[in-house]
Amino acid sequence: MKRTFSRPIKRVVVKLGSSQIADSRFKPKLGQLSALAKQVKALRRRGIGVTFVSSGAIVLGMGLLEENKRPTDLATLQARAAIGQAALMRLWGEVLKKVGLKCAQVLLSWDDFDDRVRFLNARHTMEAILKEGVVPIINENDTTSTEEIKFGDNDKLSALVASLIHADLLVILSDVKGVYDQDETVLEGEYKEITPLIQTVSAGTANIQVARGGMKTKIEAVKIATHAGTPCVITDGSIKDVLVRLVDKERIGTCFIEKKDQLLDVDSEHEFIRSHFKNS
Ligand code: GLU
């Protein structure tokens, strides 16, 4: 049986955790990124635009410096992000060029969502990039901002971006197939609420070298995105043709249905976003 979405999917935000970008030796997963670039091209042919929220700057920076262990102090991590961000964009540039596409680097931080003028500037810039048919590659601006380094590997940022650009679907890709229940079975249904079971099984936070964030911050992201009117799927980025198959409504991963579509004016939207990053 296929999934149903309440509106046609024209705009997708895809969040890639660090584990999707680099392997356990902190080297780029070129095959994985090339496969995603090909899928972006396939979706483009069908009139669907993809925006990536891509982590990976810190791990690539560590790889460039030939480190084998994640540093612990924040300034050192921020430096790794600054070193790796250029490599991250080069990678995206290469794989997208092979399928005839271009990319744009967009670095955001919480302050950009907090301040109304900056929020609107970010929205207008994103609209202009998407209008050009260029693929935005968004990351947190790790030089000045440390929220995602400390907590979430861009999970929450991806939900804020989905609401910033009114995405029709948010796909959170990592190395797990979805939300697992207590028997280690993937919950492949469509969920209207974060059930007590989901809340319990997602309580842990991963704290290993490459994969960051864990299910807890993903569920936080789901709450924001679905309240802002965007359905959300959590699944494994290495599944073959995962983006194309999701848009084709295949039941892959755990899907969370958006709350009743609210046509908010821009001020209520901005207030909603501000309240979510302040309170969660
Ligand atoms: N924005 C960071 C990055 O792209 C977050 C990930 C992390 O904390 O490792 O590397």
Side-chain angles (χ1 to χ4, degrees):
M1 207 177 66
K2 292 254 177 183
R3 281 201 171 119
T4 46
F5 292 110
S6 66
R7 56 183 189 265
I9 295 172
K10 291 280 156 208
R11 200 171 262 195
V12 183
V13 172
V14 179
K15 186 261 165 176
L16 298 162
S18 302
S19 67
Q20 300 298 292
I21 305 292
D23 61 23
S24 55
R25 290 174 15 256
F26 314 132
K27 298 297 174 206
K29 286 187 170 174
L30 250 185
Q32 168 101 334
L33 296 188
S34 299
L36 287 166
K38 282 183 194 147
Q39 293 178 66
V40 173
K41 181 74 174 183
L43 293 181
R44 173 66 56 86
R45 287 205 189 95
R46 291 156 61 169
I48 300 167
V50 174
T51 293
F52 285 111
V53 175
S54 173
S55 294
I58 289 180
V59 279
L60 292 180
M62 287 157 59
L64 282 171
L65 296 178
E66 302 193 349
E67 292 174 316
N68 52 23
K69 203 165 170 285
R70 184 177 165 101
T72 46
D73 83 282
L74 268 178
T76 308
L77 286 168
Q78 288 173 281
R80 300 302 173 270
I83 294 160
Q85 180 65 27
L88 181 65
M89 288 312 297
R90 255 196 317 278
L91 264 181
W92 278 115
E94 273 168 32
V95 294
L96 287 166
K97 192 175 174 195
K98 283 195 183 129
V99 294
L101 294 174
K102 297 183 177 73
C103 61
Q105 169 179 271
V106 179
L107 297 177
L108 296 172
S109 56
W110 302 128
D111 292 345
D112 300 319
F113 292 93
D114 191 17
D115 183 276
R116 188 180 186 278
V117 173
R118 287 164 73 158
F119 169 79
L120 289 177
N121 282 342
R123 174 173 280 171
H124 295 151
T125 306
M126 283 296 296
E127 289 300 333
I129 296 169
L130 290 165
K131 203 169 144 207
E132 295 294 340
V134 169
V135 183
I137 311 287
I138 299 178
N139 199 352
E140 185 178 36
N141 189 355
D142 291 321
T143 304
T144 55
S145 180
T146 56
E147 301 297 328
E148 293 291 358
I149 294 179
K150 284 193 244 169
F151 306 115
D153 202 8
N154 287 348
D155 286 324
K156 206 155 90 173
L157 180 64
S158 70
L160 297 177
V161 168
S163 61
L164 178 76
I165 65 167
H166 299 132
D168 303 305
L169 182 65
L170 168 63
V171 182
I172 298 181
L173 295 180
S174 72
D175 47 10
V176 291
K177 289 199 165 63
V179 181
Y180 289 83
D181 69 9
Q182 285 121 325
D183 305 323
E184 310 253 319
T185 309
V186 181
L187 301 170
E188 274 183 341
E190 286 78 49
Y191 292 85
K192 285 202 180 108
E193 301 292 338
I194 308 295
T195 62
L197 170 69
I198 292 173
Q199 196 73 56
T200 311
V201 293
S202 65
T205 302
N207 190 16
I208 53 175
Q209 295 291 325
V210 178
R212 312 272 305 161
M215 198 50 80
K216 192 176 172 192
T217 52
K218 289 178 182 48
I219 295 299
E220 288 304 318
V222 164
K223 284 182 195 162
I224 299 172
T226 52
H227 274 94
T230 302
C232 188
V233 175
I234 298 176
T235 194
D236 184 343
S238 66
I239 295 173
K240 193 170 164 28
D241 293 329
V242 63
L243 298 181
V244 174
R245 289 164 64 188
L246 280 172
V247 166
D248 280 340
K249 306 189 175 75
E250 246 187 78
R251 287 185 117 190
I252 297 174
T254 309
C255 180
F256 297 89
I257 306 295
E258 77 277 21
K259 304 282 169 203
K260 199 162 57 70
D261 216 345
Q262 301 154 300
L263 282 176
L264 299 172
D265 60 68
V266 67
D267 286 323
S268 346
E269 263 182 354
H270 181 230
E271 207 33 63
F272 166 83
I273 286 178
R274 291 183 73 218
S275 68
H276 269 74
F277 81 73
K278 287 229 160 103
N279 298 334
S280 58

